[in-house]
Amino acid sequence: MNSVPFTSVPVEVTIGIDQYSFNVEANQPFQGIKDIPIDHVHVIHFQHADDSGMRYGYWFDGKTGNYYIQYDFNDGIYKMVEEQNHSKFENIVRDYKERQMMVSYLRIDEDDTWYNLTEFVRMDKIRELIRQGENKFSYVDSSMTTLQENELLKSSLQRAGSTMESENEYESSRCFDYTVAKFKSREAIRPGHEMEDFLDKSHYFNAVVLEGAFQNSSNAYFGELQFAFLNAMFFGNYGSSLQWHAMVELICSSSSVPNKMLKKLDHLLYFQIKTLPEQYSDILLNERVWNTCLYSSFQKENLLTTKGIMEKKYPHLVGKDDEDELISNDSEEDFEEDPDEDDEYKPTIAGGVYYQK
């Protein structure tokens, strides 16, 4: 078991450890969390009582590091710090435990939910997706964007002739370096296979994304999918929500997917939807994606468990055909045109359709 002590709590805050959370008032005699399992990655997250919009936290590995939390008055946030002196750290934790000033990690969970939510998430991969120097833990907050979002912004500024480019340079440590899934890119739509690849993403999923980006590792693919979902749920992170949906939709848009991946996808999506707080559904669930995946995609018959929990928990979002509310969404960033090519007879690829409430 591991422990994360707190030096103090000068500002009222809601503290979360994995899927559990509790409120701590300012200056309450609270000195941390003990008995954290060491067999998974964990996330400790915060939301201040006077700042309902900002959520932030730290991913860490339960097997390594002597981490503690202290409040930084300059930055106005609780920060994770690693104590290099192991003996000092152990003595502090022992003292807090003897004085019963630490709360225990909750383990009353027959479904072992945290394992099912993080089965494929690995700390080394998290540190690749969030490059933050030598820290063994990784900081995340609601405002963090993806590198893809920043590249699109940079491209838009350049096309608009903006002179503010240098002022909008992003720091890689403040971005998620998720695997980019471009459904209408040249890699996704092969010359001579336009109609086939537009209707069926099997080639793009298997040959480009799974084999190329994830070295044919379904575990690595699911690890990023789970990590994106958790960042969307815990931090309300918009870019992570987009990535989660894109990775689910890519599988569902492919007719050829390894059977073991389909079974595992249904299993992990079930736990994700089951765990997602209902009040987040309007923000984090894309109605178009879920209706398409569960009712009309290639894999609709392989997601029956997910379909069941969605219909039970969010009947207002799924199971309907909103043809009257379809709107077109065609992003010029998604399809890579050849600037020298001017063929009026070339196939037109639709950008996609989106349900609008």
Side-chain angles (χ1 to χ4, degrees):
M1 298 296 176
N2 204 344
S3 299
V4 177
F6 280 53
T7 58
S8 63
V9 183
V11 175
E12 183 177 355
V13 63
T14 296
I15 300 172
I17 177 70
D18 300 343
Q19 74 270 37
Y20 307 112
S21 62
F22 50 91
N23 188 71
V24 179
E25 296 181 358
N27 300 314
Q28 183 175 332
F30 168 80
Q31 301 293 169
I33 305 166
K34 63 180 181 179
D35 300 333
I36 302 172
I38 63 172
D39 51 348
H40 301 302
V41 296
H42 298 282
V43 59
I44 186 165
H45 41 100
F46 305 88
Q47 184 168 14
H48 295 195
D50 59 351
D51 185 7
S52 59
M54 177 67 172
R55 282 182 275 171
Y56 64 95
Y58 305 88
W59 286 93
F60 64 99
D61 191 330
K63 296 187 293 291
T64 61
N66 298 318
Y67 305 124
Y68 66 93
I69 302 293
Q70 67 179 13
Y71 187 76
D72 187 313
F73 285 91
N74 292 325
D75 292 339
I77 63 173
Y78 289 92
K79 288 189 174 182
M80 176 169 276
V81 182
E82 183 175 10
E83 173 56 60
Q84 301 297 331
N85 188 324
H86 180 73
S87 297
K88 176 182 177 181
F89 181 83
E90 289 297 316
N91 289 334
I92 291 173
V93 170
R94 186 181 304 110
D95 176 59
Y96 288 163
K97 286 182 177 180
E98 290 176 353
R99 291 193 285 154
Q100 298 183 348
M101 301 181 72
M102 304 183 79
V103 300
S104 296
Y105 181 93
L106 293 178
R107 299 181 62 89
I108 305 175
D109 184 359
E110 295 179 357
D111 293 331
D112 200 3
T113 300
W114 188 243
Y115 170 80
N116 285 292
L117 290 175
T118 60
E119 180 179 358
F120 301 103
V121 181
R122 300 291 179 267
M123 195 63 217
D124 59 333
K125 295 301 180 182
I126 290 177
R127 296 185 68 221
E128 290 179 8
L129 294 173
I130 311 174
R131 301 191 293 271
Q132 295 178 345
E134 297 302 318
N135 287 337
K136 296 178 183 177
F137 51 85
S138 294
Y139 172 86
V140 176
D141 67 37
S142 306
S143 66
M144 286 176 63
T145 57
T146 66
L147 288 178
Q148 182 183 14
E149 286 178 291
N150 282 282
E151 287 298 334
L152 292 176
L153 174 60
K154 182 179 179 181
S155 176
S156 297
L157 290 172
Q158 289 176 337
R159 287 200 308 273
S162 173
T163 59
M164 297 176 61
E165 179 181 340
S166 61
E167 297 179 15
N168 287 276
E169 288 293 333
Y170 58 84
E171 300 177 18
S172 61
S173 63
R174 295 284 301 162
C175 297
F176 294 103
D177 190 10
Y178 288 130
T179 302
V180 177
K182 291 187 176 181
F183 287 66
K184 295 176 292 179
S185 64
R186 293 192 180 281
E187 291 179 312
I189 308 292
R190 296 168 294 170
H193 299 267
E194 287 86 357
M195 185 58 68
E196 174 191 352
D197 288 349
F198 174 66
L199 297 175
D200 185 349
K201 301 301 180 186
S202 294
H203 169 76
Y204 182 54
F205 171 68
N206 288 287
V208 179
V209 176
L210 190 60
E211 180 179 346
F214 293 97
Q215 291 75 53
N216 267 329
S217 171
S218 60
N219 288 359
Y221 188 92
F222 285 141
E224 185 168 324
L225 187 154
Q226 288 184 315
F227 183 59
F229 165 77
L230 291 168
N231 287 321
M233 180 175 71
F234 288 130
F235 306 107
N237 185 270
Y238 178 69
S240 295
S241 178
L242 292 180
Q243 181 69 10
W244 174 50
H245 281 89
M247 297 185 79
V248 173
E249 187 175 15
L250 182 55
I251 293 181
C252 292
S253 301
S254 306
S255 63
S256 178
V257 179
N259 287 332
K260 65 177 183 178
M261 287 195 70
L262 294 174
K263 293 180 180 179
K264 182 55 67 173
L265 177 67
D266 192 28
H267 178 80
L268 66 85
L269 287 180
Y270 166 80
F271 276 95
Q272 289 178 344
I273 299 303
K274 180 181 178 182
T275 308
L276 184 69
E278 294 186 23
Q279 64 267 30
Y280 295 167
S281 64
D282 290 342
I283 302 172
L284 298 181
L285 293 180
N286 184 307
E287 187 174 334
R288 177 197 67 83
V289 170
W290 289 104
N291 276 281
T292 300
C293 289
L294 297 178
Y295 298 99
S296 62
S297 75
F298 291 114
Q299 306 306 338
K300 61 182 180 180
E301 299 300 328
N302 292 307
L303 297 176
L304 298 181
T305 306
T306 303
K307 178 181 176 182
I309 190 66
M310 281 290 291
E311 291 179 339
K312 178 180 179 181
K313 194 171 180 181
Y314 304 112
H316 59 291
L317 291 180
V318 296
K320 55 187 178 181
D321 187 6
D322 296 329
E323 291 185 357
D324 293 337
E325 298 182 5
L326 284 173
I327 62 174
S328 172
N329 182 70
D330 190 3
S331 170
E332 60 179 298
E333 304 293 349
D334 289 343
F335 193 71
E336 299 172 7
E337 297 282 1
D338 186 341
D340 299 325
E341 183 179 354
D342 186 18
D343 183 0
E344 62 179 310
Y345 302 106
K346 66 185 178 183
T348 298
I349 305 298
V353 292
Y354 293 82
Y355 286 91
Q356 185 180 50
K357 294 184 178 179

